[in-house]
Amino acid sequence: MGCALTQPQRITVLGATGSIGLSTLDVIARHPERYQAFALSGFSRLTELEALCLRHRPCFAAVPDADSARHLQGSLLAAGLETRVLVGEQGLCEIAAHPDVDAVMAAIVGAAGLQPTLAAVEAGKRVLLANKEALVMSGALFMQSVRRSNAVLLPIDSEHNAIFQCLPTDYSRGLADVGVRRILLTASGGPFRELPLERLPDVSPEQACAHPNWSMGRKISVDSASMMNKGLELIEACWLFDARPAQIEVVIHPQSVIHSLVDYVDGSVLAQLGNPDMRTPISHALAWPERIDSGVSALDLFSVARLDFQAPDEQRFPCLRLARQAAEAGASAPAMLNAANEVAVAAFLDRRIRFTEIASIIDEVLNREAVIAVETLDAVLQADVRARAVAGQWLVRHGR
Ligand code: NDP
Ligand code: MG
């Protein structure tokens, strides 16, 4: 089955049915002369995946199991498409590493994105990294693999994309060598920034997912509400920019207009600003070092009017302290932090635990499991499995 694509860059979108995936396809559709969706993956929203295939006519699609694949393949054939449907993690790795692919948007949520993202890195692709959990879990191995394969790693997370834009192009020489004093990682503070503390145990998944500035998937929305998202981003920034945790300061900035800042030794502080719309970092990373229209409206400073900043409150946001603890411990600690958080957030979204118990579960996992060196992918995956087991025991012990 041939698929005649010529000029445009061919893009694989891992997690095409999600929030980042859809924003990516929106940007791709604005520039048909530059970009072409080569492969799309979905997991549970397969009717949406089918609609995306009909619209973007990719060469490949990837779904989790053989039954879904047969069903989707049948529908696409009936519609006259030549799209080949692949199955499971192997299918995801295949579309990530396919020789015809120019760039891979890594936008699967959570640990499930690790191996396909690594497959794209190992194949030396331009990797647009939204799936921060993959880097948090396997940072050292991931970055070694980037260097070995000459992959071009571009951050999609708005803060890291902002930092990347504010750093000089040769920042990989070392932050001190390029005159950086510290990185200021901004956070909105999420929907519970000002909620009276005694009401935090009773917040619902719907309240946690109602982010004041960004529209995102449910898992990252809960992470934003607990500020674990900022904790994961702290670890992500350490790997991307070769920074120590102490070089990164978290600043609450409720308007989400400044997406992060870099503080230089001469007192200059560079910031990247923009409307809170992920199509800006997506377009930046797709076109880098060029610039393209993203569909995002121009920032109107007069309507923004003011920019506020405050220090994060560790009592309100214990997840941020736990993430910093894991960042400092290194080795298997970030993978365990991430796994415990994934179990806890899923239990919260299922209404099995209270919002404030997310931090209790992670605390227990970090304090019960020894931190060990993780020099292979297997060791990372084992740390992930052990942390999930300890988090699961917490749920059983508390009758959830
Ligand atoms: P969504 O929940 O909206 O989308 C997640 C995507 O991953 C969907 O395509 C989903 O498929 C797929 N998926 C879920 N579970 C699996 C699995 N087990 N195996 C394979 N695919 C799976 O999340 P977001 O788009 O919001 O976030 C994606 C990633 O980007 C996350 O890592 C997040 O931290 C990061 N990010 C997101 C931002 C945002 O603004 N949304 C900002 C910065 C980073 P399906 O929907 O079909 O089930
Ligand atoms: Mg972010």
Side-chain angles (χ1 to χ4, degrees):
M1 251 185 292
C3 197
L5 299 177
T6 48
Q7 287 289 43
Q9 287 180 44
R10 286 157 293 199
I11 318 288
T12 284
V13 185
L14 301 172
T17 45
S19 165
I20 293 286
L22 293 174
S23 292
T24 304
L25 289 170
D26 180 278
V27 175
I28 288 176
R30 285 167 194 276
H31 302 279
E33 71 303 342
R34 288 185 78 119
Y35 307 114
Q36 163 81 49
F38 175 79
L40 306 178
S41 89
F43 188 70
S44 64
R45 289 176 271 195
L46 298 181
T47 313
E48 285 84 343
L49 182 64
E50 182 180 334
L52 292 174
C53 288
L54 293 175
R55 165 121 203 263
H56 295 276
R57 311 179 75 84
C59 295
F60 293 94
V63 296
D65 57 79
D67 275 353
S68 317
R70 258 193 302 279
H71 181 82
L72 180 61
Q73 189 70 80
S75 311
L76 296 179
L77 270 175
L81 260 67
E82 294 187 345
T83 307
R84 266 188 59 205
V85 182
L86 305 179
V87 181
E89 189 165 77
Q90 201 188 330
L92 293 171
C93 292
E94 201 175 315
I95 60 175
H98 195 287
D100 292 347
V101 170
D102 297 299
V104 176
M105 167 55 78
I108 290 174
V109 61
L114 175 61
Q115 305 216 46
T117 306
L118 275 178
V121 169
E122 276 154 20
K125 301 299 183 192
R126 174 189 280 247
V127 178
L128 317 184
L129 184 70
N131 178 213
K132 65 193 88 185
E133 295 92 341
L135 187 56
V136 166
M137 290 174 74
S138 70
L141 288 170
F142 193 109
M143 296 310 290
Q144 270 166 29
S145 183
V146 169
R147 283 187 289 271
R148 207 177 34 232
S149 68
N150 276 323
V152 177
L153 183 62
L154 293 160
I156 293 299
D157 218 341
S158 57
E159 296 77 3
H160 305 74
N161 185 271
I163 295 162
F164 180 83
Q165 294 196 48
C166 295
L167 284 171
T169 47
D170 60 344
Y171 71 86
S172 58
R173 288 201 285 132
L175 291 183
D177 283 1
V178 296
V180 171
R181 182 156 45 198
R182 55 187 183 146
I183 289 172
L184 300 168
L185 190 64
T186 54
S188 68
F192 306 140
R193 182 173 57 88
E194 292 187 312
L195 192 78
L197 277 183
E198 65 277 10
R199 286 179 50 198
L200 266 187
D202 298 318
V203 298
S204 67
E206 291 70 30
Q207 286 170 299
C209 289
H211 196 280
N213 308 333
W214 298 95
S215 152
M216 309 181 287
R218 281 162 72 76
K219 191 263 179 179
I220 185 177
S221 295
V222 176
D223 286 348
S224 299
S226 68
M227 281 195 80
M228 177 52 91
N229 183 48
K230 216 45 55 180
L232 298 175
E233 290 184 0
L234 169 81
I235 300 170
E236 182 185 13
C238 287
W239 289 116
L240 285 173
F241 308 117
D242 198 13
R244 284 173 285 108
Q247 288 175 291
I248 302 174
E249 188 170 335
V250 173
V251 179
I252 293 191
H253 162 50
Q255 291 90 357
S256 299
V257 166
I258 295 183
H259 299 303
S260 278
L261 314 90
V262 176
D263 178 9
Y264 287 88
V265 286
D266 62 2
S268 300
V269 180
L270 302 193
Q272 186 259 1
L273 286 73
N275 287 319
D277 186 322
M278 290 306 294
R279 290 176 303 173
T280 294
I282 291 167
S283 300
H284 171 267
L286 272 173
W288 181 84
E290 294 170 23
R291 298 270 179 180
I292 54 170
D293 174 30
S294 63
V296 177
S297 54
L299 180 64
D300 178 358
L301 281 176
F302 299 115
S303 74
V304 173
R306 57 181 282 179
L307 301 172
D308 294 309
F309 305 98
Q310 59 190 92
D313 169 355
E314 288 214 338
Q315 200 191 341
R316 181 180 294 275
F317 299 116
C319 286
L320 191 53
R321 173 180 50 77
L322 292 168
R324 202 174 267 281
Q325 181 189 321
E328 272 152 13
S332 60
M336 294 194 302
L337 172 93
N338 177 68
N341 183 55
E342 286 191 23
V343 172
V345 170
F348 170 68
L349 286 170
D350 271 1
R351 299 176 205 278
R352 285 186 287 142
I353 64 166
R354 291 174 183 273
F355 181 71
T356 41
E357 289 173 331
I358 295 174
S360 313
I361 293 176
I362 299 165
D363 198 345
E364 170 153 320
V365 170
L366 288 183
N367 288 310
R368 277 223 353 229
E369 276 295 298
V371 174
I372 53 158
V374 281
E375 273 148 23
T376 61
L377 184 59
D378 261 1
V380 170
L381 297 174
Q382 279 169 27
D384 174 274
V385 167
R386 276 199 315 279
R388 284 173 201 269
V390 175
Q393 286 160 16
W394 187 103
L395 294 173
V396 171
R397 205 168 66 244
H398 291 79
R400 314 303 170 81

